[in-house]
Amino acid sequence: MAASAGERPPSRIWSCPELGLHALVGATGAVRLGGPDRDWDCLVPLVEVTATGHGRLWSGERSIETALGDRLALRGHETVRHGGLERTTIRLADAVTGLAAEVTLERGGSAGAHEGAAGRGPGVGDGSGGFLRARVRLVNEGGAPVRLEGVTTLTLGGMTGADGTLDGLTLHWADNDWLAECRWRRSPYRDEVVPLNRSAHGHEGRGCFERYSQGSWSTGRHLPMGALTDRDGGAWLWQIESGAGWRFETGEREGCAYLALSGPDDAHHQWHQVLAPGEEFTTVPAVLVRTRTGGLDAAFGILTDHRRGIRHDHPDHRELPVIYNDYMNTLMGDPTTEKLLPLVEAAGAAGAEVFVIDAGWYDDDAQGWWDSVGAWEPAPGRFPGGVHEVLDAIRRRGMTPGLWLEPEVVGVRSPLARTLPDEAFFRRGGLRVTEHGRHHLDLRHPAARAHLDRVVDRLAGEWGVGYLKLDYNINAGPGTENGSESPGAGLLGHHRAHLDWMASLLVRHPGLVLENCGSGGLRMDYAQLAVAQVQSTSDQQDPLRYPPIAASAATAVTPEQAGVWAYPQPDQSLDEIAFTLAGALLGRVHLSGFLDRMSDEQFGLVRRAVRVYKDVRHEIASAHPVWPLGLPKWDDAWIAHGLRGRTATFLTVWRRAAGPGAPGSGSRTLPLPHLRGVHLTPEVLHCGPSGAAVRWDAAGGLLTVSLPRTGTAALLRLDVPA
């Protein structure tokens, strides 16, 4: 590793062999993080801080090369070990402003080893990878205020492919939208970060590849994730754990790639925060996964285990009850006692264990409920005998009753819009924010929180509701201004108060299950999923368009938290019903549909699918996701998603159109390298009457699946002989 001119060689103060990362300290005390044996100049400061009056050393759109970040010098560091984690704290300080930074780095190893051949394969249990979770705490120890405009949680440089260049790297990111979630895209790194010939100019470029959130839907545009892969199966995969603003960027520095992960900033989220002397600020967490072999499948396996390790422990993660919800393609926000009771009977007979009454149960307003919500009282006109008649019917069928709730909003026509103080709502420029007929509560205000506590304590305590679907159907913009704070700082403050409120519900009602929903999957982040037990993956109503979402959901959320709609209908053929059900069987079943109107044959198919799910669900909570055909594209004809369990691999395969395969047939061959050399007999657990044929080539580790018709799907099990 070379030093800059006039400096002694930097020394190593921390290393993480699993990730191939080292923290180096230079002659001035500056600390930089990056790959081993890289020149000092290609690395980047451990923390970058954009502050008013200090700015950057090289102007542009990058969040690196900040003047303040360059000045931060080492004060000290220590490492402690607890369980399977190693925690290192690196303390830095800036002599000019008095700003002190405390960087916490937690590292963990590769995904848990599986017993037997089902767990074989690079990147899983072989020590070839690990993760690093970072967080930064800033304290103003100086005598004057410091106005922060951006703080990185994790920055590192020195990233290249195995050949030492950027030419073989591929960049991955995920677009996200209502009804079209988890759409992963890929591009050669050099198509996004073009070579500029630094030697000819003496400087790097001014731009970068970036993705960031906008407004209060944390995943309304993209997932807070990205990845780099190389030709030899190596991967870097990252995740930012924020329900408020977030941003990542990557670019070139001295012939290597760098990465910067951060929460909200001024340029993208209207976030700034003034730290008076003695005040502090803590960034949102971010995680980096590194594998040397196994590609994205191996990296997502490690990230899945990390996600399991940080979330609130809850029995729902282990039990995975079957959920029926009356909304999707069924009552669509129009529940009544008359409509619900037949569905309750049918759902119970099908094997559901939770029955959720979705939107509309509070609606008796002739003008509609959208802009009048907030009190969350049952509508007498919908429930002439009272809502408890339906709740009791749900319990008699052996199911837990659930209700839909949109807690953070109050309709403009709701009485609460007049009785709660202005300070209890989002405001900007002194005016209350209004979006799509709603105001937005600020859960930092005691009146807002007390109101919601009373609502949930009534529903979960007095009524005995055991499941709450917490929806969120507006984007409230950049945030709220409480006094002199910036909108982005207000949004982050509310977000943290919202997480604290959700956690407090689980303390008072330990058995309560919280579903995180944001118009489907528009708030699918691991700040909220560390607290909530279930995540809605989409509002997609077209069963033919759901497979790429269902198959990719495990990139964004653990399989046991991924709620996928299964909405079979009496007007569908048996193959269509089987196709509709298939997508949920390796996640969380969100059953819906007019089951009460089905023929015996149709209903029997639904019951069999539910039984299959109950037979395999005990494997889901410890399994790791795989994609034998790669992450799906939106229009792919064939899609495959699987889970590698301790003793078996499960695969869901969809055939949506003719697409590529064996000429003239409906077949597709799936590579399963982790099972190469294993002699086994694949089992078809679920499919429609058109059937599915499978052929296993043990020597090649190849599974050929035949689905004779388009619009069909199958769930397969590959058991490894004892």
Side-chain angles (χ1 to χ4, degrees):
M1 64 189 78
S4 295
E7 290 188 356
R8 66 175 182 268
S11 59
R12 183 179 302 171
I13 62 168
W14 173 87
S15 64
C16 180
E18 297 96 327
L19 276 74
L21 292 179
H22 303 272
L24 306 176
V25 59
T28 65
V31 178
R32 295 186 178 184
L33 181 65
D37 303 320
R38 299 297 184 192
D39 287 347
W40 172 260
D41 289 340
C42 78
L43 307 184
V44 291
L46 182 59
V47 181
E48 294 278 17
V49 181
T50 307
T52 307
H54 300 272
R56 299 178 180 87
L57 299 174
W58 176 242
S59 188
E61 297 181 5
R62 300 179 174 198
S63 62
I64 64 167
E65 299 167 326
T66 62
L68 208 157
D70 188 65
R71 294 197 306 260
L72 286 171
L74 182 67
R75 269 185 170 178
H77 62 96
E78 65 269 345
T79 297
V80 297
R81 290 174 175 83
H82 179 73
L85 290 178
E86 178 185 279
R87 176 179 295 175
T88 297
T89 302
I90 300 175
R91 297 184 302 278
L92 310 166
D94 171 35
V96 176
T97 62
L99 193 68
E102 183 180 271
V103 184
T104 301
L105 303 174
E106 289 183 335
R107 55 185 271 202
S110 59
H114 292 172
E115 297 179 1
R120 296 195 307 197
V124 178
D126 63 359
S128 66
F131 70 85
L132 182 71
R133 189 178 194 230
R135 203 162 191 169
V136 178
R137 174 175 168 262
L138 297 179
V139 181
N140 185 357
E141 297 179 354
V146 178
R147 187 178 185 270
L148 304 174
E149 296 181 358
V151 185
T152 61
T153 294
L154 182 64
T155 51
L156 66 145
M159 305 164 71
T160 66
D163 62 357
T165 75
L166 301 181
D167 297 335
L169 290 181
T170 299
L171 181 62
H172 307 256
W173 70 95
D175 293 339
N176 214 58
D177 196 359
W178 186 56
L179 311 181
E181 291 85 352
C182 303
R183 299 184 337 273
W184 281 85
R185 302 179 63 187
R186 57 183 291 169
S187 176
Y189 192 80
R190 277 309 193 191
D191 283 0
E192 307 297 331
V193 180
V194 298
L196 299 176
N197 191 357
R198 185 189 192 284
S199 61
H201 303 282
H203 288 289
E204 301 288 0
R206 300 184 187 273
C208 59
F209 179 91
E210 65 176 356
R211 290 293 182 266
Y212 54 91
S213 65
Q214 185 176 45
S216 58
W217 275 331
S218 60
T219 56
R221 307 174 73 192
H222 310 284
L223 294 181
M225 305 176 63
L228 286 174
T229 56
D230 63 30
R231 293 168 179 161
D232 295 334
W236 293 268
L237 173 66
W238 55 87
Q239 164 181 286
I240 304 170
E241 297 166 4
S242 174
W246 60 264
R247 177 176 179 266
F248 73 77
E249 69 175 66
T250 181
E252 184 174 2
R253 183 181 173 94
E254 296 286 348
C256 299
Y258 78 86
L259 176 67
L261 311 178
S262 62
D265 65 18
D266 193 28
H268 302 86
H269 309 98
Q270 298 184 37
W271 179 91
H272 63 261
Q273 185 158 333
V274 176
L275 292 189
E279 292 185 338
E280 64 180 62
F281 168 74
T282 301
T283 67
V284 302
V287 176
L288 177 70
V289 170
R290 172 70 167 130
T291 61
R292 292 182 178 84
T293 55
L296 284 180
D297 281 9
F300 277 116
I302 295 173
L303 185 60
T304 297
D305 281 349
H306 162 72
R307 290 166 169 171
R308 288 167 174 156
I310 64 171
R311 68 191 181 194
H312 179 97
D313 185 49
H314 197 283
D316 183 78
H317 296 143
R318 297 178 291 277
E319 297 166 0
L320 311 190
V322 175
I323 302 157
Y324 182 94
N325 182 301
D326 68 37
Y327 184 82
M328 191 58 70
N329 289 353
T330 310
L331 299 187
M332 298 297 292
D334 188 27
T336 65
T337 299
E338 182 181 10
K339 295 176 180 178
L340 285 167
L341 290 180
L343 293 176
V344 169
E345 291 299 311
E353 295 152 308
V354 175
F355 189 102
V356 180
I357 304 172
D358 208 278
W361 59 270
Y362 38 77
D363 171 30
D364 251 352
D365 195 315
Q367 299 182 55
W369 56 265
W370 183 261
D371 59 358
S372 65
V373 296
W376 309 113
E377 296 283 356
R382 293 185 174 275
F383 308 103
V387 71
H388 289 282
E389 179 182 359
V390 180
L391 299 179
D392 290 342
I394 293 170
R395 294 187 189 94
R396 283 195 301 271
R397 291 297 312 188
M399 296 181 289
T400 298
L403 286 174
W404 180 94
L405 200 65
E406 195 171 356
E408 294 166 79
V409 301
V410 170
V412 295
R413 293 192 299 110
S414 171
L416 284 161
R418 297 182 294 276
T419 58
L420 289 174
D422 276 346
E423 295 78 11
F425 296 94
F426 275 30
R427 293 167 297 151
R428 291 197 292 273
L431 301 175
R432 190 184 294 187
V433 172
T434 303
E435 176 71 10
H436 199 178
R438 276 100 174 274
H439 302 306
H440 195 296
L441 291 172
D442 186 341
L443 284 182
R444 295 174 295 178
H445 195 280
R449 181 153 175 167
H451 157 62
L452 291 185
D453 281 343
R454 287 192 295 270
V455 169
V456 174
D457 288 346
R458 169 166 48 88
L459 301 183
E462 298 173 23
W463 293 14
V465 170
Y467 187 107
L468 290 177
K469 177 177 178 176
L470 303 181
D471 210 341
Y472 186 76
N473 289 303
I474 63 170
N475 188 331
T480 179
E481 300 165 343
N482 185 12
S484 62
E485 75 177 351
S486 65
L491 180 61
L492 182 59
H494 162 77
H495 159 66
R496 288 172 167 169
H498 179 233
L499 297 179
D500 183 74
W501 173 72
M502 288 199 299
S504 74
L505 300 183
L506 299 175
V507 172
R508 297 202 305 278
H509 308 284
L512 182 64
V513 176
L514 302 178
E515 177 187 337
N516 184 48
C517 180
S519 279
L522 301 187
R523 287 211 298 187
M524 194 155 37
D525 63 78
Y526 258 88
Q528 292 172 100
L529 282 168
V531 183
Q533 287 70 56
V534 183
Q535 171 68 49
S536 171
T537 57
S538 186
D539 281 348
Q540 177 56 251
Q541 293 176 245
D542 182 348
L544 283 171
R545 295 191 185 276
Y546 213 135
I549 302 171
S552 298
T555 64
V557 55
T558 64
E560 64 271 21
Q561 289 178 281
V564 176
W565 288 104
Y567 31 59
Q569 299 294 352
D571 60 353
Q572 292 176 337
S573 69
L574 294 178
D575 275 331
E576 289 172 331
I577 288 174
F579 184 94
T580 301
L581 292 165
L585 299 181
L586 292 182
R588 293 301 299 275
V589 176
H590 275 189
L591 192 62
S592 196
F594 289 105
L595 306 184
D596 57 312
R597 305 178 188 177
M598 287 185 165
S599 69
D600 290 344
E601 190 176 23
Q602 291 174 319
F603 191 71
L605 179 54
V606 174
R607 291 187 63 181
R608 288 193 297 276
V610 171
R611 284 200 299 270
V612 165
Y613 179 75
K614 291 181 178 180
D615 287 341
V616 305
R617 63 183 171 185
H618 67 283
E619 297 267 12
I620 293 174
S622 60
H624 297 123
V626 293
W627 294 271
L629 299 176
L631 294 174
K633 297 182 177 64
W634 186 246
D635 293 320
D636 278 354
W638 286 81
I639 294 172
H641 164 241
L643 294 179
R644 293 170 58 178
R646 288 187 173 87
T647 60
T649 293
F650 301 89
L651 290 172
T652 303
V653 183
W654 296 264
R655 183 189 177 198
R656 295 195 294 173
S665 73
S667 298
R668 192 69 191 264
T669 298
L670 314 180
L672 298 173
H674 69 285
L675 293 175
R676 187 179 294 121
V678 179
H679 295 278
L680 51 81
T681 302
E683 179 185 3
V684 178
L685 298 180
H686 166 81
C687 68
S690 292
V694 292
R695 186 176 69 255
W696 174 241
D697 173 5
L702 301 174
L703 179 71
T704 300
V705 180
S706 298
L707 295 171
R709 293 181 55 185
T710 59
T712 56
L715 173 65
L716 313 174
R717 177 177 185 135
L718 288 77
D719 275 322
V720 177

